[in-house]
């Protein structure tokens, strides 16, 4: 005769939680009722705690459909649910798990009328949302206004929604370049919102905004979900924005069986709208909250953790905690002052080669930096030495659109018959597309004197493109001067300052980062006194080859990444480059109140390393006035002498 067990008494646990968890983890997992804040330090088993918490709730008799698990990727939620199923041997398919947007979509499909929509609404991806903004621009564009393109407008709109600021505040704070066009931007944003309603469309940000609206305006609906989701878990809580925090508070309702898990010391995404105050002030919003602190680190050596603890100790706004290592003792982290960025790249590459010769895989090595441009010299050095690498912070330096744009200007000066370069830069002019660019190119290639032909090709340009085309002609004309042919750095600077900088602001939300890349290219070009030699050497080094720096998969690849994109990952050996004031911390942060977040960023970088950590900084930098001195990062100066060893590099 078969027997069916419908309910398990809470005391009958299949999982031996006390044996499988350390005491800190066990305390959090076994938390009973009421709000809880789990402060999970780097490498302390945060995912394990969330997974075992889900398992423990189910084993205690909580139905899966009464649990809400909010994560920042659907993959993370599915993995946690899968592991919880394996632990308890029960199906968790009824559990509501996924990203904030995923859960919002499920709820709004049930209550679309209350959100002001019709059944079957569509969700715009970012590309479609950008296109809708572009159509709004075309409808109400004022000729004399300096307006950004759809991608930038979407970013402005998204930040306004997620930070609860109005459009004017976002423009003033993040996009001051467009202050003169603020009124037109507001009109476009208003039209964008009305078009979405009329077309039964939502963008990603609307999902959260309308979830909050439905709950705020309908008490019975909010109460229904508060009763349905008896237990709520939020992962990576330090990365939530104000809108997400508000929604969580609404869903938590009366019982407040809310557990949020995160690490205030790893809150590094304010530029995306994340609100550090959410985790910092959680105990104020939930006065009865129990705080659990995870400090047993399973990733790094005691020496690396000592340095990391010292880094973060200088922040005033934090929950203070010291990480403790499980791993045995290792070597001290190294701090290496180098002559310049070229020696910095040579040092990192040399150490990698020695490690690889001693049996270390390139896969176990990562190089982290504050901004993508800081990897330029290293990319070239790794390519030169045949060290395989993979870039996680974006495209390889010379494959990026803005770098290729600038180099295309230079190419048509040295080779006026370069069709690809001509068409690329012509299409940067507003109103010139493939057809117009092809007609202009035909005029150039059939002419005896391309320089004169480009002047006459203006007849193929529409009226709305005339001003932009004339500016383009001026730039090209200037670049043919001898002073630019013998000074590639001055040529790049001229391109940037005469129209291309405005193009970047109008086209990309991250224009400032792209300008930093080009300024780095300017510094690199200072080494050359011939435009032709400069372009030739770039090509010969293979830096534009999509396959450069890559060999067979079996060899492994060194990972190059910004610190922001490395969060949550780990490697045996980590190099941190460019640790100078104005670079890390960034110049922008030093002019504002963002220094503590920059220090958290340094902390995140250091805690990616398991066994070896190298912190590098150049002493000198070349600019228009010759060689200048760079200050070591204030974060390095804060480190006590016993937390690192200084590395002196000798040139052989």
């Amino acid at each position: 005769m078969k027997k069916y067990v419908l309910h398990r008494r809470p005391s009958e646990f299949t999982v031996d939680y006390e044996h499988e968890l350390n005491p800190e983890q066990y305390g959090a997992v076994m938390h009973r009722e009421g709000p809880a804040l789990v402060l999970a330090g780097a490498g302390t088993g945060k995912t394990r705690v969330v997974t075992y918490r889900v398992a423990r709730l189910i084993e205690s008799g909580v139905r899966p459909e009464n649990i809400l698990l909010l994560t920042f990727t659907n993959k993370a939620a599915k993995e946690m649910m899968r592991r919880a199923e394996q632990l308890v041997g029960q199906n968790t398919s009824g559990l509501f798990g996924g990203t904030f947007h995923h859960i919002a979509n499920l709820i709004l499909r049930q209550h679309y009328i209350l959100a002001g929509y019709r059944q079957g609404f569509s969700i715009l991806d970012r590309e479609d949302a950008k296109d809708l903004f572009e159509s709004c621009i075309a409808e109400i564009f004022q000729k004399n206004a300096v307006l950004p393109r759809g991608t930038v407008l979407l970013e402005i709109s998204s930040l306004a929604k997620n930070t609860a600021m109005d459009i004017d505040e976002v423009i003033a704070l993040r996009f001051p370049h467009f202050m003169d066009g603020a009124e037109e931007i507001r009109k476009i944003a208003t039209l964008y919102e009305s078009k979405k309603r009329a077309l039964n469309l939502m963008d990603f940000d609307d999902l959260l905004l309308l979830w909050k609206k439905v709950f705020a305006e309908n008490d019975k609906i909010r109460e229904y979900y508060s009763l349905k989701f008896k237990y709520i878990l939020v992962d990576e809580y330090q990365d939530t924005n104000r809108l997400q925090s508000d929604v969580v508070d609404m869903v938590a309702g009366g019982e407040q069986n809310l557990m949020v898990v995160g690490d205030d010391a790893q809150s590094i995404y304010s530029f995306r709208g994340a609100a550090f105050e959410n985790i910092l002030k959680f105990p104020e919003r939930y006065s009865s909250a129990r705080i659990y602190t995870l400090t047993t680190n399973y990733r790094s050596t005691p020496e690396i953790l000592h340095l990391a603890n010292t880094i973060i100790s200088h922040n005033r706004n934090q929950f203070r905690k010291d990480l403790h290592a499980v791993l045995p003792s290792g070597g001290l982290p190294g701090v290496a002052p180098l002559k310049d960025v070229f020696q910095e790249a040579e040092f990192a590459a040399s150490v990698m080669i020695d490690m690889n010769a001693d049996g270390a895989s390139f896969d176990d090595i990562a190089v982290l930096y504050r901004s993508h441009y800081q990897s330029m010299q290293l990319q070239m050095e790794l390519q030169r030495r045949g060290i395989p690498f993979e870039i996680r912070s974006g495209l390889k330096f010379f494959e990026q659109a803005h770098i290729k744009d600038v180099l295309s200007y230079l190419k048509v000066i040295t080779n006026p018959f370069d069709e690809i370069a001509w068409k690329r830069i012509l299409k940067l002019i507003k109103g010139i597309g493939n057809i117009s660019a092809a007609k202009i190119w035909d005029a150039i290639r059939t002419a005896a004197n391309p320089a004169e032909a480009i002047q006459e090709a203006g007849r193929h340009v529409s009226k709305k493109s005339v001003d932009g085309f004339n500016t383009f002609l001026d730039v090209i004309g200037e670049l043919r001067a001898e002073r630019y042919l013998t000074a590639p750095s001055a040529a790049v600077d001229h391109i940037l300052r005469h129209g291309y900088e405005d193009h970047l602001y109008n086209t990309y939300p991250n224009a400032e980062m792209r300008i930093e890349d080009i300024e780095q290219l300017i510094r690199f070009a200072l080494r050359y006194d011939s435009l032709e030699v400069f372009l030739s050497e770039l090509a010969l080094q293979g830096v534009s080859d999509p396959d450069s720096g890559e060999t067979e998969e079996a060899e492994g690849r060194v990972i190059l990444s910004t610190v922001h994109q490395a969060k949550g990952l780990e490697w045996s050996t980590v190099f941190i480059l460019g640790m100078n004031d104005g670079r890390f911390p960034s110049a922008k942060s030093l002019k504002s109140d963002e220094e503590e977040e920059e220090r958290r960023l340094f902390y995140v970088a250091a805690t990616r390393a398991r066994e070896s950590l190298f912190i590098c900084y150049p002493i000198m930098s070349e600019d228009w006035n010759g060689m200048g001195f760079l200050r070591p990062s204030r974060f390095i100066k804060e480190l006590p002498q016993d937390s690192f060893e200084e590395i002196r590099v000798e040139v052989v």
Side-chain angles (χ1 to χ4, degrees), residues 520-581:
Q520 182 70 5
L521 180 64
I522 291 170
R523 287 190 285 270
F524 177 76
L526 283 165
R527 307 174 80 197
Y528 297 86
D529 57 12
S530 165
L531 191 56
E532 192 170 327
V533 172
F534 173 65
L535 291 171
S536 297
E537 288 207 6
L538 293 185
L540 290 172
Q541 288 192 58
V543 292
S544 296
D545 181 357
D547 295 324
S548 65
E550 297 180 4
T551 57
E552 291 300 315
E553 191 72 33
E555 290 188 36
R557 298 186 179 102
V558 174
I559 299 300
L560 276 58
S561 173
T562 61
V563 183
H564 284 105
Q565 289 173 300
K567 184 174 172 291
L569 304 175
E570 60 183 72
W571 296 270
S572 291
T573 300
V574 169
F575 294 83
I576 307 175
L577 301 187
M579 287 299 302
N580 299 91
D581 267 6

Side-chain angles (χ1 to χ4, degrees), residues 212-474:
K212 179 180 176 180
K213 170 185 166 67
V214 169
F215 277 25
E217 296 177 357
N218 300 273
D219 291 343
K220 289 185 178 179
I221 299 295
R222 184 180 69 251
E223 289 169 6
Y224 167 79
Y225 284 100
S226 292
L227 291 172
K228 175 179 174 59
F229 299 132
K230 296 181 183 295
Y231 292 88
I232 305 166
L233 293 92
V234 185
D235 191 24
E236 301 286 10
Y237 190 68
Q238 78 281 348
D239 295 334
T240 55
N241 59 41
R242 182 172 170 180
L243 184 54
Q244 291 165 330
S245 174
D246 288 347
V247 167
V248 168
D249 290 347
M250 286 180 168
V251 180
E255 292 191 37
Q256 296 187 340
N257 286 320
L258 167 64
M259 176 177 283
V260 300
V261 184
D263 184 9
D264 59 297
Q266 298 186 72
S267 178
I268 59 174
Y269 295 117
S270 66
F271 68 96
R272 294 181 187 169
F276 178 61
E277 295 77 15
N278 288 349
I279 191 167
L280 199 65
K281 295 184 177 180
F282 185 85
E284 294 179 23
R285 297 205 316 281
Y286 293 87
S287 58
S288 62
R290 181 82 180 271
I291 299 177
Y292 299 91
T293 305
L294 310 184
T295 59
T296 304
N297 177 284
Y298 294 89
R299 176 187 300 158
S300 306
T301 63
E303 290 78 9
I304 290 173
L305 293 185
H306 174 49
L307 181 136
N309 289 332
T310 302
I311 291 170
I312 204 64
S313 68
H314 291 274
N315 273 9
R316 298 179 64 183
N317 299 306
Q318 64 164 312
F319 294 103
R320 295 195 175 274
K321 54 188 176 296
D322 281 340
L323 299 181
H324 306 284
V326 170
L327 296 181
S329 185
L332 283 172
V335 173
L338 290 313
K339 177 186 174 184
D340 52 27
V341 291
F342 300 98
Q343 191 181 71
E344 184 180 52
E346 291 170 5
F347 167 73
S350 296
V351 174
M352 291 175 195
I353 289 172
D354 289 345
M355 286 184 161
N356 185 247
D358 290 340
S361 169
F362 285 128
D363 277 336
D364 289 331
I365 302 172
V367 183
L368 307 181
Y369 32 82
R370 175 65 179 81
S371 300
H372 184 53
Y373 78 83
Q374 293 174 297
S375 68
M376 174 185 164
Q377 278 76 20
L378 181 63
Q379 289 182 44
M380 298 180 73
E381 185 66 19
L382 296 180
Q383 172 64 30
R384 187 177 70 82
R385 298 197 186 204
I387 299 174
F389 64 94
E390 176 185 337
I391 300 174
R392 298 274 179 86
S393 54
L395 295 170
K396 292 180 179 178
F397 190 85
F398 291 92
E399 292 174 5
Q400 297 175 104
H402 49 292
I403 299 299
K404 293 180 77 170
D405 288 346
V406 170
L407 294 181
S408 291
Y409 272 97
L410 303 182
K411 287 177 180 179
V412 301
I413 300 302
T414 58
N415 175 17
F417 298 100
D418 188 329
E419 176 183 358
I420 296 171
W422 271 117
K423 287 183 175 179
R424 184 180 190 93
I425 57 178
L426 285 167
K427 287 189 288 186
L428 295 175
I429 302 168
K430 190 173 182 64
I432 293 184
N434 290 325
I435 295 175
S436 297
K439 289 179 179 178
I440 296 170
W441 164 246
D442 283 340
I444 295 170
R445 71 182 179 84
T446 56
N449 188 334
E452 293 179 3
I454 187 64
Q455 295 280 349
E456 298 172 4
R459 67 180 185 275
H460 297 298
V461 175
S462 64
K463 288 183 179 179
K464 66 179 179 179
S465 303
V466 169
D467 290 343
F469 187 72
N470 288 335
T471 300
F472 169 78
L473 291 180
D474 290 341

